[in-house]
Amino acid sequence: MATDMAGIVHRHYHFRRREYSRRVYVERSKPLEQYSNEELYARFRFGNADIKYIADLVRPELQRRTRRGHSMSVEEQVLIALRFYASGSFYQVVGDSLGVDKSTVSKVVKAVSVYLASLVNQFVCFPRDEQISQTKCKFLFLGNMPNTIGVIDCTHVWIQAPHEREWEYINRKGRHSINIQLVGDADLLITNCVLKWPGSVHDARILRESALYRKLQTNRPDGIILGDSAYPLLPWLMTPFLAPNTPEQARFNTAHSKTRCAIERLNGVLKRRFACLNYLRVEPQGVCNIILACIVLHNIATKRNVPLCDEVMSDWSCSKGCHCQKLFLNNDFWMCLQDQDLQNVVSRQDMS
């Protein structure tokens, strides 16, 4: 009797096992094979060789030891993250375009962002002794401002309301944001960044609490950094005259404005290259990792001369009468890309 029952149980278990459906794997798209370089720039902000370079950077951390379960290659993970950075779209939309699930996009973006953020000290560094003289020459050519080694400003990255300490992230415009401090050079490379502060914190406090401030206060650099009137006047930090009374002061403000425009342009390029920085639906810690990843990728793109996609450019007729391409910096300013000395930086209202 016991044997018969065992046989019945065995047959029942065997029958139930047959009911399991076989796992079906959806074929993923292969952008590196199906898109040209121009199409890759438009969708991922990087070309074929650049994407492979980024994949090699993150390979030590993201390489799967086995292909069991059809695990994704490093290139596929990088493409998913780059697509999110470039579009700023919902995870579901990014996943649908690349043939993966929404949860996979979330995990991949987090993993890639964390590892790229860990490389920030490798790609973001202040000018060293041998680079300072070259940096000064470039800034002098840019706006006729001597002895300049950097320009500083803060920019806000809007985020969804966080679950904890939500009130701290409300900025002066009434929106939730992270206030990030950037220092850049004349080539639009980011040389220093601070991005741990909520949107309610003032630019001057972010500087005062930063490691850069402590370093430059202790060891004065061989040059000056230019900032706007939100910053204090320091031996190494030059701000404009609030009310110039002499022609000399007016000329100083003009040169200061032309040179400091580099940081406004940098902020514009960064946010247009990576549209996710216009609004992030992530908690603050995840936001900081994504921003750091975009900063690292921005410097990689700048050093590798990766062209801006067509969405950044727009055909207008500038004040000089030339029909050229212009890069919009923000809602109020644009720049004639054919004008090397920044003489054509004017307000958009002046075009009307």
Side-chain angles (χ1 to χ4, degrees), residues 190-237:
I190 297 171
T191 57
N192 186 268
C193 60
V194 179
L195 43 90
K196 64 180 181 179
W197 295 95
S200 62
V201 180
H202 192 269
D203 297 2
R205 183 189 172 189
I206 296 177
L207 173 65
R208 190 172 62 249
E209 300 285 342
S210 67
L212 177 69
Y213 178 87
R214 295 190 294 270
K215 176 183 176 182
L216 298 184
Q217 283 288 83
T218 305
N219 302 308
R220 184 175 172 181
D222 181 22
I224 58 173
I225 296 176
L226 303 183
D228 60 20
S229 56
Y231 292 102
L233 180 63
L234 298 170
W236 48 269
L237 178 60

Side-chain angles (χ1 to χ4, degrees), residues 291-309:
I291 297 173
L292 273 176
C294 291
I295 287 173
V296 169
L297 290 172
H298 168 83
N299 277 6
I300 290 174
T302 304
K303 290 178 179 178
R304 293 177 63 87
N305 297 316
V306 175
L308 290 168
C309 69

Side-chain angles (χ1 to χ4, degrees), residues 269-282:
V269 169
L270 179 66
K271 289 186 176 181
R272 294 303 292 269
R273 175 172 273 144
F274 303 113
C276 69
L277 299 182
N278 292 311
Y279 184 76
L280 284 167
R281 306 169 187 85
V282 190

Side-chain angles (χ1 to χ4, degrees), residues 104-119:
T104 302
V105 176
S106 176
K107 294 175 184 177
V108 168
V109 169
K110 180 178 180 180
V112 173
S113 298
V114 168
Y115 191 70
L116 284 175
S118 69
L119 303 177

Side-chain angles (χ1 to χ4, degrees), residues 23 60 169-170 187 252 275 308 331 342 347:
R23 183 176 294 179
Y169 294 87
I170 300 177
D187 294 325
F252 173 87
L308 290 168
N331 290 332
L342 303 186
S347 66

Side-chain angles (χ1 to χ4, degrees), residues 46 51 53-59 61-64 72-85 91 104-120 274 286 288-297 300:
F46 290 91
I51 292 171
Y53 171 79
I54 297 168
D56 289 338
L57 279 178
V58 301
R59 196 176 303 279
E61 182 69 18
L62 301 182
Q63 180 71 63
R64 301 288 191 265
M72 288 186 295
S73 66
V74 176
E75 286 76 12
E76 289 173 327
Q77 296 177 67
V78 168
L79 286 167
I80 290 172
L82 290 179
R83 183 60 184 147
F84 171 74
Y85 299 148
Y91 288 157
T104 302
V105 176
S106 176
K107 294 175 184 177
V108 168
V109 169
K110 180 178 180 180
V112 173
S113 298
V114 168
Y115 191 70
L116 284 175
S118 69
L119 303 177
V120 66
F274 303 113
C288 291
N289 286 329
I290 291 173
I291 297 173
L292 273 176
C294 291
I295 287 173
V296 169
L297 290 172
I300 290 174

